[in-house]
């Protein structure tokens, strides 16, 4: 069974040899896996910080380097904390590099209007 990280790394490895629509397909799959990985980590972070007060969550997000303020709700703060952690994973780093390379080649998931 392939993990999310293994699959994203595999897609990222295949991306340099792919072009146009083939690259869009790889990028789309990697994006879906990226979102799944972030969502899974969000659940883990929510459990980890379940006992913290709202103020302590704001402090934790601020200490992690994420701009936030006291008016953000608990879910937003948990997502910020998960995002900080997720962005440092091999899967997220590989996806970011893959998306940046694709963008340099004129390929992205956001349609041009």
């Amino acid at each position: 069974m392939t993990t999310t990280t293994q699959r994203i790394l595999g897609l990222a490895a295949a991306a340099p040899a792919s072009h146009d629509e083939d690259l869009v397909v790889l990028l789309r799959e990697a994006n879906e896996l990226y979102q799944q990985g972030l969502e899974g980590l969000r659940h883990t972070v929510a459990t980890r910080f379940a006992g913290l007060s709202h103020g302590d969550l704001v402090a934790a997000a601020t200490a992690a380097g994420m701009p936030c303020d006291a008016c953000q709700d608990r879910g937003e703060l948990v997502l910020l904390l998960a995002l900080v952690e997720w962005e440092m994973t091999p899967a997220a780093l590989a996806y970011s590099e893959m998306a940046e390379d694709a963008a340099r080649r004129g390929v992205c998931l956001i349609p041009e209007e």
Side-chain angles (χ1 to χ4, degrees), residues 42-108:
R42 187 189 65 76
H43 285 292
T44 301
V45 169
T47 301
R48 185 183 323 143
F49 290 106
L52 289 184
S53 69
H54 185 268
D56 288 341
L57 275 177
V58 170
T62 301
M66 289 303 278
C68 65
D69 58 53
C71 71
Q72 290 178 286
D73 69 29
R74 184 173 197 85
E76 291 172 325
L77 295 169
V78 166
L79 182 57
L80 288 174
L81 288 164
L83 187 59
V84 166
E85 193 171 326
W86 176 248
E87 286 181 338
M88 293 185 281
T89 66
L93 292 170
Y95 173 75
S96 294
E97 198 171 297
M98 177 184 180
E100 288 170 10
D101 179 62
R104 283 190 293 275
R105 296 194 281 156
V107 176
C108 77

Side-chain angles (χ1 to χ4, degrees), residues 3-4 16 18-19 21 23 33 35 46 55 64 67 73 86 91 93 96 98-99 103 110:
T3 67
T4 298
S18 300
H19 303 284
E21 195 56 38
L23 182 54
L33 292 166
Q35 298 302 325
D73 69 29
W86 176 248
L93 292 170
S96 294
M98 177 184 180
I110 301 170

Side-chain angles (χ1 to χ4, degrees), residues 2-14 26 29-30 33 91 98:
T2 304
T3 67
T4 298
T5 297
Q6 291 169 328
R7 184 65 185 141
I8 290 175
L9 292 174
L11 292 168
L26 293 178
E29 182 179 349
L33 292 166
M98 177 184 180

